[in-house]
Amino acid sequence: MEDNAPLDREDAQLIEVRTAAIPHVVPTLRTIVADIAMRQDFDLDAVEDLRMAVDEACSMLLPSAADGKLTCVFSWIEGRIEVTVSVVADTPDHGDDTGLSWQLLTALATSARRTVTPAEGRYLSRVQLVRESEVARP
């Protein structure tokens, strides 16, 4: 049912975490992205921005997780980290893209996108974010 489409390059690294859609797992996901960012030599501000961005993405999606599951895919290469957080929802409503949470998320990431796609009578609700290190930007 899930097609998170992480980085297309064959040499990209990838971690996929499938877990219960409960707030108690969010600190673990924050720690994973921080570890990846530190290993990719992101500066401390970027590491913290990624931690907060993952927190915001999860907070947006957790309430709509119809099956009680959350998937988080981390992929990275050469100063670029992509994170996709997704849940299966009962409705296509994915919240307000002008709200404070979305504004915060887009400020923390190089780019961010929300999508909802039909999936077997339900909807795959997804937040995808990208953060590039300052040295990786042209």
Side-chain angles (χ1 to χ4, degrees):
M1 179 182 293
E2 295 193 41
D3 177 19
N4 288 323
L7 284 166
D8 289 337
R9 294 181 51 174
E10 291 180 19
D11 52 343
Q13 301 292 314
L14 180 112
I15 295 174
E16 181 173 350
V17 178
R18 293 176 186 230
T19 186
I22 56 175
H24 300 342
V25 301
V26 176
T28 302
L29 300 174
R30 288 171 45 111
T31 300
I32 292 169
V33 77
D35 183 73
I36 293 167
M38 286 186 283
R39 291 174 189 269
Q40 293 298 305
D41 293 325
F42 278 61
D43 64 51
L44 292 177
D45 288 337
V47 172
E48 190 56 31
D49 286 353
L50 272 164
R51 289 172 52 83
M52 290 189 296
V54 167
D55 191 81
E56 286 300 320
C58 291
S59 294
M60 283 189 253
L61 294 176
L62 283 175
S64 62
D67 63 356
K69 297 176 185 174
L70 178 134
T71 300
C72 190
V73 177
F74 306 92
S75 53
W76 66 96
I77 192 168
E78 300 170 8
R80 177 184 172 97
I81 298 174
E82 295 184 14
V83 180
T84 302
V85 181
S86 59
V87 298
V88 174
D90 286 329
T91 66
D93 180 32
H94 65 272
D96 182 11
D97 286 348
T98 62
L100 182 60
S101 289
W102 184 250
Q103 289 179 8
L104 179 59
L105 182 87
T106 57
L108 296 168
T110 304
S111 66
R113 179 172 67 138
R114 288 181 81 169
T115 59
V116 177
T117 54
E120 300 174 16
R122 289 187 166 167
Y123 300 89
L124 181 62
S125 185
R126 180 184 311 164
V127 174
Q128 297 169 294
L129 61 100
V130 173
R131 180 64 192 238
E132 295 175 345
S133 71
E134 293 298 322
V135 287
R137 292 185 189 174

